[in-house]
Structures are given as C-alpha cells and as structure tokens.
Amino acid sequence: MSETPGALDPATETFVAHRNLLFTVAYEMLGSATDAEDVLQETWLRWSGVALDTVLDRRAFLVRITTRQALKRLRTLGRRKESYVGPWLPEPLLTTPDVAEDVELAANVSMAMLLVLETLGPTERAVFVLREVFAVDYDEIAQAVDKTPAAVRQIAHRARAHVAARKPRGTGSPAEHRAALQAFQAAVETGDLQGLLDILAPDVVALSDGGGVKHALPRPVVGADEVARLLAVGWWKRGAERTVEPVQVNGGPGLLIRIGGEIDGVLAVRVENGYVTGAYHVRNPEKLSSVAREITVSR
C-alpha cells in the first residue's frame, strides 16, 4: 500500500512526535534555547540515518542521541562561559500556560533551578536531568552517558544531594504567582519604593545579564532594601518609551520589557509564599530570540 500523499515518513513522524521532549532535555542540560535547537538539528541528522527496524524503543533512542549531543555542546559552553563578560544567566523562554500546571516541570525549567544545575559537572547534570526530571531508567542513562549502571546510580545520588542542598524552596500556587507579579509590576512601573518593599522577601536576590553589550549589574544584589532601591531608581530608568507586559517565563511569572516597541529584556520573577525572592533580568540581545513567541516544553 502506498503512503498517503503529504504523510510524514516514519522517522520524521517519530521525531516530530517527541520534538518538544527532546528540546526540553537539551535545554535543561544547556540552559540555552539556541544551543538546544542546534542539538535537535544534530539529533535529527543522526536519527535520519538510523535503520528504524533495529530500534526497540524509539523515544529512548532519541533521548540517548540528544543527551550525547548535548553533553558535547555542554563542554564547549563551559569554555565559552569562562570568557563571558559579566554575570551569566540562562537564556529565558516564554513558555506556554500549560507548563505552570505541571508544578514539577515548571520548577525544573525555572531560572533559579537552571542556575543550580550550572553548579554540576556535565555528566552529573545529564544524569540528574534524565533521572530526576524525565524518570529515565538507570540502564538507559548508562548508555547515554557511556557509564555503567552502577556508576550512574552513584552519580545520581551525588547530584541529587548537591541539588537538594541548593535548590529553591516551594514556590506557591499559580494564583499566588499572579497576585505577586501584579503587585511587583505595579510597583516597578511607578517606582513605588514602599510597594516594592512590601512585595520583596528580606533575602531577595537580583541578578542581571547584559553579555557585555547592554548595561547590567556587575554582581548580585541581595536584600529587600537594596533591590527595592535598585528597581525604583537605578535599574528602572524612566524617560524612554517603555512598556511592561506580564508573561510566563520558564514556567513562572515574569515581565517582558520593551523600549520603543522593541524587546529590551526579560525579567523572570521567583515567588515563594507570596513574596518575590528572586529577580533575573536578561538583557543580552543574543539571549532574547526565544521570547518573541511561546515555546512548549514537556516531559
């Protein structure tokens, strides 16, 4: 029987069916949407040459290829970050609303969690992401990272303990996120110092990334008083034609900032127990290509 006109061949159909999952695996490992897309291109090139009748589990095989390609790129990225100008933040994503409904996935793609994953070595990060985020079995992870299953179990244990000691606390409900973001946005737009002090947690941390191209904070700013003054006066310069739009960034609340209609930056906001505990401001133009449209991440 001939194929239906316009129908995808089996290899393409399988790849398309798992594309969002593969992108999420690569992005979790790399913290860069641009590099994750490159990894998907490399994965496709290798997948398109595979004899499908030899593959028992196509999803697992694709995840394995993606992991190997992401590991190669992760080691290259590590060298790039050593010469990066100023503080480095992950490349933000404008995620679809449904991501927030999967609380665990939203927490794992959050800016705060990606920064924690940056403290792991490449293999540890791959093992943690595959096991803890995507529940891949140890034998399959072993094939993806070229280790024995016993070694993978040990790596997973170490990585889990490392992340547990550093990962963000519980973030609250979507309703709390919306309420906190509304209060935060109103205070930021008007320069309301007291309004900011009311919504910022005492130990709030603000970070920004300009990539040496745009003005950014040279180091983290910690504490409600310092961050409130920064947002009310220094960081938030008025006078330009500036607009602020509430969006979902990496599965959580955020603001998309435009000047003269052009995207100038993204401010991802971390909310815990109704208070803002983290503000991650990305202005590097090279990291803003993925905020022009919503991106679907999945498990």
Side-chain angles (χ1 to χ4, degrees), residues 176-255:
E176 286 179 319
H177 285 177
R178 286 191 295 271
L181 183 64
Q182 288 173 358
F184 180 74
Q185 179 182 352
V188 163
E189 286 187 297
T190 59
D192 180 359
L193 182 60
Q194 187 56 53
L196 286 164
L197 289 170
D198 289 343
I199 195 63
L200 297 176
D203 57 351
V204 62
V205 178
L207 304 95
S208 65
D209 177 344
V213 180
K214 293 287 190 74
H215 176 72
L217 302 173
R219 61 189 63 83
V221 175
V222 182
D225 287 344
E226 294 295 325
V227 174
R229 285 178 171 77
L230 177 70
L231 289 168
V233 182
W235 197 1
W236 196 255
K237 294 181 180 178
R238 290 163 185 78
E241 185 186 340
R242 190 184 299 263
T243 60
V244 182
E245 175 189 351
V247 290
Q248 182 172 273
V249 180
N250 288 62
L255 300 174

Side-chain angles (χ1 to χ4, degrees), residues 28 102 104-105 107-108 113 117 120 124-138 141 152-153 155-164 167 299:
E28 279 276 310
D102 185 340
E104 187 175 352
L105 178 60
N108 279 303
M113 187 60 165
L117 294 182
L120 294 172
E124 284 182 317
R125 184 166 183 170
V127 169
F128 180 87
V129 167
L130 292 178
R131 182 62 187 170
E132 300 302 315
V133 182
F134 299 99
V136 178
D137 66 58
Y138 290 111
I141 297 173
V152 166
R153 287 178 183 274
I155 293 169
H157 177 74
R158 290 198 306 268
R160 195 180 302 119
H162 180 94
V163 172
K167 73 177 182 179
R299 291 195 288 174

Side-chain angles (χ1 to χ4, degrees), residues 30-32 34-35 76-92 111 115 118 207-219 264 266 280-289:
L30 300 169
S32 165
T34 303
D35 286 292
T76 301
L77 279 178
R79 292 191 292 272
R80 264 194 255 160
K81 287 171 190 172
E82 290 175 3
S83 59
Y84 194 80
V85 179
W88 183 93
L89 285 174
E91 185 177 338
M111 298 287 276
L115 285 172
E118 281 294 311
L207 304 95
S208 65
D209 177 344
V213 180
K214 293 287 190 74
H215 176 72
L217 302 173
R219 61 189 63 83
D264 180 71
V266 173
Y280 311 94
H281 189 199
V282 178
R283 296 193 70 211
N284 183 350
E286 292 185 359
K287 294 186 176 183
L288 297 177
S289 60

